Amino acid sequence: MTWNAYNRRKEVLREILAIADKRRELSITELLDTVDGGREAYANETELLFDIQMNWFQRLSGQLDRQLSEGVDTPEIMAVSAWVNAASDMPGARALLDAQIDNPALGKAFVKEHTLLAASAGVPWNHPDLSGHGKRLQDSARESVVYAEPVEAESAPSGSLLSKLRSRAA
């Protein structure tokens, strides 16, 4: 992948996540078709889902680090709080990932998320049900998260910042 393709992909991902935060009812296919150049940046929905999941995982990891540095009461509370904070920060991404919970292509990624949560909560890495414990923590967090109401989308034309600037200059 060239730098231009990589940067374009990141730009499309940012636009898709911004739209998803405002319009959580849209499917992954609808979002991919909504953003200018979406189909050129991503060959299919699965590629986009992998990038969304990676973006989510990075946010969750950052929240876990933040919670750890702030010193929460128990490791379990820390893991649940981190997930809740990440989900509140990225409601569109979380909705898209939750809609794909049975997608076998994302199965390994979801197991890694559960493993990270469980290990962060103090479950030993060699525990036979490490992923299951993480799934239970995620379920507990999911019950606690409160999503803000989506902000009305602006009536500005869709598309990249560059295309908006070009249209204004013309």
Side-chain angles (χ1 to χ4, degrees), residues 87-137:
S88 295
D89 289 347
M90 299 181 71
R94 194 64 249 168
L96 290 167
L97 292 171
D98 287 345
Q100 299 291 322
I101 203 78
D102 294 326
N103 185 335
L106 292 173
K108 189 174 181 180
F110 289 141
V111 167
K112 286 185 177 189
E113 179 182 340
H114 298 152
T115 300
L116 176 67
L117 281 172
S120 298
V123 179
W125 282 100
N126 61 352
H127 191 280
D129 192 28
L130 184 65
S131 178
H133 191 77
K135 173 83 170 88
R136 288 186 290 280
L137 286 168

Side-chain angles (χ1 to χ4, degrees), residues 4 11 18 27 37 41 50-51 82 93 102 105 109-110 134 138 152 155 170:
N4 287 340
E11 185 179 324
S27 71
F50 283 143
D51 274 1
D102 294 326
F110 289 141
Q138 183 187 54
E152 282 297 316
S155 60

Side-chain angles (χ1 to χ4, degrees), residues 6-143:
Y6 172 81
N7 288 325
R8 179 63 186 138
R9 208 172 217 211
K10 292 302 175 189
E11 185 179 324
V12 167
L13 178 63
R14 276 191 300 275
E15 289 181 38
I16 285 174
L17 290 175
I19 293 168
D21 284 345
K22 295 174 186 163
R23 299 193 53 208
R24 292 182 218 144
E25 77 281 358
L26 294 177
S27 71
I28 193 75
T29 302
E30 292 168 325
L31 284 165
L32 197 52
D33 291 334
T34 299
V35 173
D36 291 339
R39 290 282 175 191
E40 290 79 29
Y42 290 96
N44 56 50
E45 286 80 357
T46 302
E47 281 186 9
L48 175 57
L49 283 167
F50 283 143
D51 274 1
I52 291 171
Q53 202 285 329
M54 177 58 76
N55 203 289
W56 160 258
F57 194 85
Q58 289 171 339
R59 180 67 56 96
L60 177 60
S61 296
Q63 286 292 339
L64 286 165
D65 287 345
R66 182 175 297 135
Q67 292 289 324
L68 186 63
S69 69
E70 291 176 0
V72 182
D73 292 337
T74 68
E76 289 86 6
I77 291 173
M78 182 215 33
V80 169
S81 295
W83 196 95
V84 167
N85 290 341
S88 295
D89 289 347
M90 299 181 71
R94 194 64 249 168
L96 290 167
L97 292 171
D98 287 345
Q100 299 291 322
I101 203 78
D102 294 326
N103 185 335
L106 292 173
K108 189 174 181 180
F110 289 141
V111 167
K112 286 185 177 189
E113 179 182 340
H114 298 152
T115 300
L116 176 67
L117 281 172
S120 298
V123 179
W125 282 100
N126 61 352
H127 191 280
D129 192 28
L130 184 65
S131 178
H133 191 77
K135 173 83 170 88
R136 288 186 290 280
L137 286 168
Q138 183 187 54
D139 291 343
S140 175
R142 188 174 277 119
E143 292 173 6

